[in-house]
Amino acid sequence: MADASKPVDLFSQQEANRRRSRWLVAGFVFFFAWLGLGGDWLAWQFTRNAPPAAYHHGFPLIGLAMFFLGFGLVAYIRKTGADKVLWSSGAWQLLEPVTPEQKTLDNVVQEMAIASGLPKPTIWIVDDPDPNAFTTGNDAAHAHIAVTTGLLAALDRDELEAVIGHEMGHVKNLDTELMTMVAGLVGATALISNGLGRVLFSGVRIGGGGGGGGGGRSSKNNLGPLVLVVLAIWLVSWILAPIITRMMALGISRDREYLADAMSAQFTRNPASLASALEKIEQADSPTTSIQAGVAHLCIADPLGRRMSSAEGFLGDLLATHPPMAIRVARLKAMGYQAQKAAGNFQAS
């Protein structure tokens, strides 16, 4: 559960997200550099006692390649991350609203863009019966809001307006850039890790390979415990890389959801509508099958089933993509009660 004593105002949240984005990029690049330089050191250890005619690894080519690969992936994700997220969900862009539901959605997005003081995002629809919504993009000028057909069918206009206000809150808080970057890094790391795993388990060997048995035995006999320890850590790093990046996605502070809820209440002046919308989303029977695990943290509610997001305490903070829905609803209802109370006192006076 979020610490009520922590500042959650807009400017502190924006600065925190900028800081997290910088640390995320730096950590990703240096993690790739470690994987490369670790491979260089191990290759040097395995080949330094090889026969003179065999290959001897000296120049840190793997480390440099992995370092620049990390930078290249970050640049590529910044450029194409939002497109990949939308593509992975099967979303299609709403260009000309036709149905009454589509026209209402277009009007609501326009109203919330005006209320938030931001450019109108492009609108996307995901053909999925489970009610959900997410936002992606690198900045407010290139933001995208996607909603499922199930959300359009389940919510009334005020509830839809509140959900769109929540997503616009993410855009204004600079959550969207951070969450899109994490989604891209999760996918890229999993792809690279799987590729290396296939190479390792297919029998590819580091070193001179085909030399006589004496050369191979001499190399093995000269391997000290440090080499074995580094080799184990290096292999485990590759194996755990997708898990580590996934944990980064899950570990993004869940305070961002509370702040986006609060900003929706600010934009709409109607926190009760978001509370009602979240209750309807929570009561949906099945997960959102169109949205993959790597982008689950982008959604207004966990699209993969909500059991972990219902957990409180350390386990929930560690593994859940979203705070408990019951707490979010309770906070919004409390906001509505306080607003009604203040309005009543004002009228009475």
Side-chain angles (χ1 to χ4, degrees):
M1 184 175 174
D3 185 353
S5 65
K6 290 165 54 177
V8 291
D9 62 275
L10 174 60
F11 296 110
S12 64
Q13 183 77 354
Q14 288 179 336
E15 180 55 34
N17 281 340
R18 291 190 184 97
R19 186 167 58 251
R20 287 178 188 139
S21 296
R22 290 192 293 267
W23 278 110
L24 181 67
V25 170
F28 181 78
V29 171
F30 282 107
F31 180 66
F32 266 60
W34 142 247
L35 293 174
L37 292 174
D40 282 318
W41 188 81
L42 290 168
W44 173 70
Q45 288 289 340
F46 275 96
T47 61
R48 64 190 178 95
N49 292 323
Y55 172 73
H56 292 75
H57 190 83
F59 186 75
L61 181 62
I62 305 174
L64 289 174
M66 292 297 292
F67 185 79
F68 286 110
L69 176 61
F71 266 117
L73 282 173
V74 168
Y76 179 75
I77 290 168
R78 283 190 181 278
K79 183 177 181 180
T80 67
D83 294 335
K84 299 300 182 185
V85 168
L86 294 165
W87 172 82
S88 71
S89 66
W92 52 274
Q93 187 175 359
L94 180 64
L95 297 175
E96 292 292 336
V98 177
T99 67
E101 293 81 4
Q102 294 174 3
K103 293 179 180 179
T104 298
L105 174 63
D106 185 69
N107 290 336
V108 163
V109 172
Q110 180 66 56
E111 290 173 4
M112 289 298 96
I114 294 172
S116 62
L118 297 173
K120 181 184 177 184
T122 58
I123 305 171
W124 300 75
I125 295 179
V126 179
D127 291 320
D128 194 296
D130 188 58
N132 220 322
F134 66 86
T135 181
T136 186
N138 287 332
D139 52 51
H142 303 90
H144 311 274
I145 285 181
V147 302
T148 64
T149 51
L151 187 83
L152 296 179
L155 306 186
D156 62 29
R157 192 184 195 285
D158 288 343
E159 293 165 343
L160 180 63
E161 185 178 67
V163 167
I164 299 303
H166 172 99
E167 299 303 331
M168 294 301 297
H170 279 311
V171 177
K172 197 172 185 70
N173 299 343
L174 305 183
D175 291 332
T176 305
E177 177 184 0
L178 174 63
M179 295 189 292
T180 301
M181 176 64 67
V182 169
L185 296 184
V186 168
T189 305
L191 183 64
I192 293 172
S193 179
N194 290 340
L196 182 78
R198 291 181 181 180
V199 171
L200 291 176
F201 289 107
S202 65
V204 174
R205 298 173 58 188
I206 301 175
R217 286 190 296 272
S218 173
S219 178
K220 289 181 180 179
N221 290 337
N222 288 327
L223 292 179
L226 177 61
V227 176
L228 299 179
V229 170
V230 173
L231 176 61
I233 295 175
W234 186 75
L235 290 174
V236 169
S237 296
W238 274 109
I239 294 170
L240 295 182
I243 300 174
I244 292 171
T245 52
R246 181 67 55 81
M247 294 297 291
M248 290 165 57
L250 298 178
I252 294 176
S253 175
R254 299 199 295 174
D255 288 342
R256 63 183 172 79
E257 292 298 330
Y258 292 124
L259 184 56
D261 287 346
M263 296 197 72
S264 172
Q266 176 186 350
F267 297 153
T268 64
R269 309 296 187 196
N270 188 3
S273 288
L274 183 57
S276 176
L278 293 179
E279 287 178 326
K280 288 183 178 180
I281 292 171
E282 181 69 4
Q283 291 166 4
D285 294 331
S286 59
T288 313
T289 57
S290 298
I291 298 176
Q292 305 302 312
V295 297
H297 58 285
L298 292 168
C299 297
I300 192 171
D302 184 359
L304 307 176
R306 284 120 198 176
R307 287 179 297 177
M308 187 53 65
S309 292
S310 298
E312 296 184 47
F314 175 77
L315 186 62
D317 290 338
L318 182 65
L319 298 178
T321 59
H322 294 72
M325 192 67 81
I327 296 178
R328 295 172 65 185
V329 171
R331 288 188 174 199
L332 288 163
K333 289 182 176 179
M335 290 181 197
Y337 172 76
Q338 292 296 333
Q340 290 180 354
K341 184 177 179 181
N345 290 339
F346 177 78
Q347 291 175 0
S349 62

